[in-house]
Amino acid sequence: MTPSTAGALRRPDIADPVTYAAGVPHEEFTRLRLTEPVSWVQEPLLWRHSSGGRIAERGSGFWAVTTHEAVLSVSRRPEEFSSGAKGAFLVDPRTPADLRQTRQLLVNMDAPQHLRIRRLVTSVFTPRAVRGLVESVTAHATALVDRVARAGRFDAVTDLACELPLLVLSDLLGMPREDRHLLYRWSNHLVGFDDPDYGGGDVEAYRRTFVEAFQYALRLAMERRDNPTGDLVSLLANAEVDGQRLSDREFCNFWLLLVVAGNETTRHLISGSLEALAAYPAERDRLVSGAVPVPTAVEELLRWVTPIMQFRRTATRDTELCGRRVSEGDKVVIYYTSANRDAAVFADPQRLDLGRDPNPHLAFGMGPHFCLGSHLARLEATALLTAMRPHLAAFELTGPVARLESNFVNGAKSMPARIAGAPQRT
């Protein structure tokens, strides 16, 4: 074995979910940006299981796009790099029926269907509309921080980071608050499909989650069609576009996307932010002192954490990207987590700088699929960090962070923490 071969074998596999249990392999992404900004990646063998037994699956391989410029290029060329051809997720749909199901989700649509569905709720997530939520989001954040401050010891994921978006979502969707942990469980089993603590590669459990979530959504829709209440579910259940109401399947898929995207991304942003502030006390102190405004810090924490690490596209024709010939049908994966550490765009990108300005990060994507809930995510993170600011100097982690085995989201499952000096509950 040559030294170069041995080095290649030791490199982290950016396609393997297990790699990310140790954190995002930023050194490998740096190497790729410098040497192969568009590089071919072989996919690992992954095991799935069901009542029919265990099945080994290996994807076809893909082009990994890792520079800021190249990620922008792909994002702005939806006619060449499709979200709908095979979906926006790394794993290919297994059957034509799976592909049809996949294409019902907004993130897996191309124009014109994508625009038709997206504009149904665009008004709900405008900056003006989100400003109307400030009071309720702030109240939730304050109550949660007060609770963990009284407890002293807590889990920063389950007690803070996941609770805030779940409470906000239950308000938006008009759900009973006691049902919010259903959203948590469903999104864990879908997004955490590869993680042994969640989906564990169980295909049947994955499908059962869809069925259970869809049944719940349809019950809500029927109630709101009979008795609209002004919440987001009422809007979706009764809205018409071009004279057509959403079909039940369209409604369920849109609702589920809101459920997953509305809690997963913000949860991981908040927990990743708290982890970063604990690890970099000098930057934390700039936030605590007011030297850096909270909204400015949130932008840098979005860049630093990048909760959604990548999305997949499919080439619709033979084309070129950074000098590479990409063939029609090739899988192309755009890595936001790498683009957000690109030294060609960000000075000293491996340094957390809460006052970074300008900060053209791509944590919310770019192009027609730019994150619909970006304003709400910013509001929630700002509210939580504002409420935590008086306690941040005493905030510390008390044990190892358990990370999600996922090549899609950069997330933690648990993060034991305490506020030093806080009274301890007995």
Side-chain angles (χ1 to χ4, degrees), residues 316-327:
T316 60
R317 56 177 176 259
D318 293 350
T319 187
E320 185 175 297
L321 192 59
C322 293
R324 291 281 198 174
R325 296 299 303 169
V326 177
S327 299

Side-chain angles (χ1 to χ4, degrees), residues 5 10 19 22 34 230 236 259 267 300 328 353 376 380 412:
T5 303
R10 286 194 298 269
T19 297
L34 294 173
L236 289 175
V259 164
R267 179 206 319 177
E300 174 67 348
E328 179 180 353
D353 176 7
L376 182 57
E380 291 181 45

Side-chain angles (χ1 to χ4, degrees), residues 61-75:
F62 60 87
W63 293 105
V65 181
T66 52
T67 65
H68 193 279
E69 180 182 9
V71 168
L72 278 179
S73 178
V74 171
S75 301

Side-chain angles (χ1 to χ4, degrees), residues 155 157-158 184 195-198 401-405 411-415:
D155 190 295
V157 175
T158 56
Y184 180 66
D195 190 276
D197 290 334
Y198 295 145
V401 175
R403 306 197 63 80
L404 193 65
E405 289 186 14
K413 296 181 287 188
S414 67
M415 189 179 295

Side-chain angles (χ1 to χ4, degrees), residues 269-284 300-301 304-305 352 354 395 397 415:
L269 169 60
I270 290 171
S271 59
S273 296
L274 292 172
E275 182 181 15
L277 293 171
Y280 296 92
E283 288 302 301
R284 175 205 65 201
E300 174 67 348
L301 291 163
W304 186 260
V305 177
L352 181 70
L354 294 185
F395 173 79
L397 303 185
M415 189 179 295

